[in-house]
Amino acid sequence: MSLTGAILGDIAGSRFEFEKEIADWNSCELYNKNSVFTDDTVQSLAIGMAAITHKDYAKSLAEICNKYLFVGYGGNFHRWLLNPGTAQCNSWGNGSAMRVSAIGEIADSLSEAEEMAAASAKCTHNSYEGIKGAKAIAGCVYLAKKGSSKKEILKYAQALYPGEKYEYPPERKLCEYRETYKFEVSCQNSVPVAIRCFLESTDFESCLRNVFYVNGDTDTLGSMAGSIAGSYYGMGGLDVENILKYYLDDELFELWSTIITYISNH
């Protein structure tokens, strides 16, 4: 359910992406007429399709993402789409991490999840932090899928983002983030926060509300945190198929269905 969680997290966070403060974070609708899918969803589906078909990640991204040019890509990724044969040298943006949900669910081991995530990142985000961010989210999804405890997932995340080296380590409480966190697009300053949103949750919905609580790059935080929560909890009482049919177009819905069917039979 990680891919589904990533997409639902993206759509839920989309309308809050540039809000200075979400006052009703604990009671607002998760989805309304202003909610949309963004580049997080499109890239997640592209990487998922590459993973299940063993297609080159760069080719899958170029093929699918070029059909959806106005969904919020960063400038570097837009430029990459014009020439997908070249890598974005040293990119540390969180685009590499928000799209790996399906990889964590498909992988048969933690090391395989990390290897696949690294390969998916290198075509556009071939920096140390860009690759590590992708590995971190895919690894957390895999651990959640295998039934690891939150304590074990935290330990895994802490090894990647130790508190003495990172401004926003995963062991810090969300109430501390609430006072200091701002819009961040780097892996190193958003991946640990997304993991923390999951760690302090009690179900899928509360994970998304934690994203609203800390605010920031809410669609991408929602996609990353939602992918882990989806794998750990499932979707609860959400009417997933109808929500996705409403917000996705026919082609994206079909891609989601294809990947989910593969994962279910894997």
Side-chain angles (χ1 to χ4, degrees):
M1 299 293 280
S2 60
L3 175 62
T4 305
I7 295 173
L8 291 176
D10 172 43
I11 296 171
S14 62
R15 75 182 194 274
F16 298 121
E17 185 174 11
F18 300 109
E19 293 285 334
K20 291 183 179 180
E21 183 177 354
I22 307 170
D24 59 343
W25 61 271
N26 62 342
S27 59
C28 63
E29 292 179 301
L30 288 183
Y31 306 100
N32 70 14
K33 63 181 181 179
N34 296 316
S35 305
V36 295
F37 71 84
T38 79
D39 61 315
D40 300 53
T41 289
V42 178
Q43 291 192 55
S44 293
L45 291 169
I47 292 298
M49 286 301 297
I52 69 171
T53 61
H54 307 291
K55 190 173 184 177
D56 180 79
Y57 291 113
K59 289 181 180 179
S60 186
L61 282 168
E63 177 183 315
I64 294 172
C65 294
N66 267 305
K67 297 178 181 179
Y68 300 89
L69 290 177
F70 304 103
V71 290
Y73 303 123
N76 285 338
F77 190 77
H78 257 301
R79 286 186 284 274
W80 179 84
L81 284 175
L82 296 174
N83 187 11
T86 60
Q88 287 182 30
C89 295
N90 298 315
S91 176
W92 35 252
N94 54 21
S96 62
M98 53 78 162
R99 66 194 190 195
V100 295
S101 51
I103 284 175
E105 201 154 11
I106 291 167
D108 292 322
S109 67
L110 178 59
S111 61
E112 183 180 32
E114 292 180 330
E115 289 168 7
M116 291 174 67
S120 76
K122 287 178 181 177
C123 60
T124 56
H125 295 69
N126 61 344
S127 71
Y128 175 76
E129 293 294 348
I131 293 170
K132 182 163 74 171
K135 291 167 66 176
I137 295 298
C140 285
V141 167
Y142 174 81
L143 291 173
K145 175 190 76 170
K146 297 298 288 184
S148 297
S149 68
K150 288 186 178 180
K151 184 176 181 180
E152 291 169 323
I153 294 172
L154 172 59
K155 183 177 180 181
Y156 172 76
Q158 284 179 304
L160 295 170
Y161 298 101
E164 64 272 17
K165 293 184 179 180
Y166 288 88
E167 184 177 2
Y168 302 109
E171 66 267 22
R172 280 184 64 188
K173 294 183 178 180
L174 291 181
C175 60
E176 298 177 49
Y177 288 135
R178 173 77 170 181
E179 301 301 320
T180 61
Y181 195 64
K182 55 186 184 297
F183 192 96
E184 292 280 358
V185 298
S186 68
C187 276
Q188 55 267 39
N189 287 336
S190 61
V191 169
V193 177
I195 295 171
R196 189 67 202 182
C197 287
F198 157 71
L199 290 170
E200 287 196 30
S201 66
T202 56
D203 55 22
F204 183 76
E205 179 177 337
S206 69
C207 179
L208 298 190
R209 294 198 181 280
N210 285 342
V211 169
F212 301 162
Y213 176 70
V214 297
N215 206 355
D217 189 7
T218 49
D219 60 330
T220 299
L221 286 175
S223 186
M224 294 187 292
S227 68
I228 307 169
S231 187
Y232 190 87
Y233 300 117
M235 299 297 108
L238 290 176
D239 188 353
V240 171
E241 189 162 327
N242 280 333
I243 293 172
L244 295 184
K245 280 184 176 179
Y246 181 83
Y247 288 105
L248 301 183
D249 66 16
D250 290 344
E251 182 170 355
L252 294 180
F253 184 84
E254 183 61 31
L255 291 175
W256 170 78
S257 298
T258 299
I259 297 167
I260 292 302
T261 299
Y262 175 92
I263 291 172
S264 298
N265 295 326
H266 180 61

